[in-house]
Amino acid sequence: MKLPLEGLKQDIFSIREEETDLKYGRFPEKRSVEERINYGFILLDKPAGIRSKTAAYIAKKLMAVLGVKKIGYSGTLED
Amino acid sequence: MHLHKEVEEHLLRDTFIKFTGEITQMPPVRSHVKRQYRQREVYYSEIIEISGKDVLFKVGVESGTYIRKLIHDMGENLGVGAHMVELRRTKVSTLSEKNNLVTLQDLEDAIHMYVNEKDVRLLNQCIGNIESAIDFIPRIFVSDTTVDPVCHGSPVAIPGIVKLTDFDKGELVAIMTLKGEIIALGKSVLSSEDIKSIKRGVAVKTDSVIMNIGTYPTYKKVN
């Protein structure tokens, strides 16, 4: 049976053609590690036995040397 | 799943089939939701290994399905009782174990290599783009001139939209730049079809802004 988001493909419809100024912003795939450190996403494989909150806290502590101030998380599993 | 008594394999398999599709369950006593019977969908349920009273299986369920409860109910249905031993989430939305899963140890190693050896490769693998977490949400792409107002919380008017995917009125919509960067999340006031045919008016209301103010400049109004 198919899962809700399985094989999801979103077609993009163009209303008009328009250029974007390369002076501002950055294509996500071209972001440097330094940029992603404070604007990124980690798919963390949490060990069993600790809370998601604790895992996020440990990750934050680890990343503090990189200048990370904030880490949030999503996807808490209530079994 | 740990069965409290051994059961014949065909009975176990029958129960797994019975608990696929629409199921009704009561949230457990200790739960974060109101305790009332809820309908949930079990998309698939597949036994991987049976070893005595222990059963390893993989299940795909609608959000809000309690697996501990599912196992308990299957145990009752079998007449022997059962409880959950271990649970691992292998997939959520468009993300799965097939993506770059990072353990805390991996992260620590990657940071070490970056800080002490100036090697960015591991850290590069660890940290993905925030956009990859929301690729299932329908989206609109707005012109450069629209980016800064949205960063300040302004809603998106139809003329600011350059490209869009399909969505209904009232849906959660991601507001993106033409470069594909997430600016904010919002709620559509019109459906994507309406936006294509109407010339002006508010299309998406901005809820939570993600992009920092100042990433794109403030353009002067031309009129």
Side-chain angles (χ1 to χ4, degrees):
Chain A
M1 199 171 171
K2 232 179 130 180
L3 290 168
L5 297 175
E6 204 175 297
L8 175 86
K9 215 189 156 291
Q10 301 195 72
D11 292 322
I12 299 169
F13 177 86
S14 290
I15 293 177
R16 61 173 186 271
E17 290 301 316
E18 192 171 311
E19 296 290 309
T20 172
D21 194 335
L22 298 177
K23 274 192 290 193
Y24 310 108
R26 179 97 70 232
F27 287 96
E29 59 275 17
K30 288 189 179 162
R31 274 185 207 131
S32 65
V33 175
E34 286 75 14
E35 283 173 293
R36 272 181 288 140
I37 280 169
N38 272 304
Y39 205 67
F41 167 74
I42 296 175
L43 204 51
L44 195 73
D45 188 347
K46 182 187 79 63
I50 65 165
R51 293 173 177 206
S52 305
K53 198 174 170 174
T54 312
Y57 178 75
I58 295 168
K60 185 179 158 185
K61 286 280 164 198
L62 288 173
M63 296 187 83
V65 289
L66 304 174
V68 171
K69 291 193 183 71
K70 257 165 60 169
I71 282 190
Y73 68 92
S74 168
T76 310
L77 182 60
E78 196 186 7
D79 61 21
Chain B
M1 171 180 190
H2 181 79
L3 297 159
H4 299 157
K5 265 190 206 125
E6 284 205 36
V7 288
E8 285 183 58
E9 194 180 318
H10 74 272
L11 292 174
L12 185 70
R13 292 194 182 275
D14 285 349
T15 300
F16 268 80
I17 292 166
K18 232 181 272 174
F19 282 81
T20 309
E22 282 287 329
I23 60 149
T24 306
Q25 63 173 207
M26 171 70 92
V29 181
R30 285 182 177 217
S31 70
H32 285 107
V33 294
K34 190 176 175 191
R35 294 200 74 213
Q36 55 182 26
Y37 281 103
R38 320 198 284 179
Q39 286 251 318
R40 284 295 181 270
E41 191 157 2
V42 176
Y43 305 116
Y44 61 82
S45 192
E46 211 172 275
I47 297 171
I48 298 169
E49 203 183 316
I50 305 169
S51 169
K53 292 181 213 163
D54 292 311
V55 184
L56 179 68
F57 69 100
K58 195 165 190 167
V59 66
V61 297
E62 186 180 345
S63 61
T65 311
Y66 285 91
I67 305 299
R68 191 179 293 280
K69 193 71 181 173
L70 179 78
I71 291 171
H72 174 89
D73 293 347
M74 283 199 283
E76 291 222 312
N77 187 271
L78 282 161
V80 297
H83 68 263
M84 187 177 83
V85 180
E86 211 178 305
L87 176 68
R88 180 171 170 86
R89 173 174 275 172
T90 59
K91 212 181 217 177
V92 63
S93 100
T94 53
L95 305 165
S96 82
E97 285 188 316
K98 290 179 190 106
N99 294 73
N100 258 352
L101 273 195
V102 178
T103 62
L104 285 167
Q105 284 85 354
D106 291 339
L107 186 62
E108 187 166 24
D109 292 346
I111 293 166
H112 177 87
M113 290 302 282
Y114 178 77
V115 174
N116 300 312
E117 315 285 337
K118 303 277 170 271
D119 187 343
V120 298
R121 286 174 300 174
L122 286 177
L123 198 59
N124 223 339
Q125 283 174 26
C126 286
I127 312 175
N129 280 314
I130 44 172
E131 286 82 1
S132 62
I134 52 145
D135 58 6
F136 62 96
I137 300 174
R139 53 205 50 216
I140 58 170
F141 298 86
V142 303
S143 65
D144 288 359
T145 52
T146 309
V147 181
D148 189 60
V150 174
C151 284
H152 285 89
S154 162
V156 182
I158 295 171
I161 303 173
V162 179
K163 298 184 286 182
L164 73 169
T165 66
D166 290 337
F167 51 82
D168 292 324
K169 181 182 166 180
E171 254 196 279
L172 173 71
V173 170
I175 307 167
M176 321 287 289
T177 66
L178 290 173
K179 296 185 186 73
E181 308 148 281
I182 177 79
I183 311 166
L185 292 172
K187 205 173 184 184
S188 61
V189 180
L190 298 167
S191 71
S192 52
E193 287 310 309
D194 287 342
I195 293 168
K196 288 175 197 171
S197 59
I198 305 172
K199 291 274 172 276
R200 53 185 74 238
V202 170
V204 176
K205 271 192 178 164
T206 305
D207 284 331
S208 50
V209 178
I210 293 149
M211 184 179 274
N212 288 327
I213 292 169
T215 310
Y216 279 70
T218 312
Y219 292 86
K220 272 198 188 133
K221 266 204 179 123
V222 227
N223 57 14

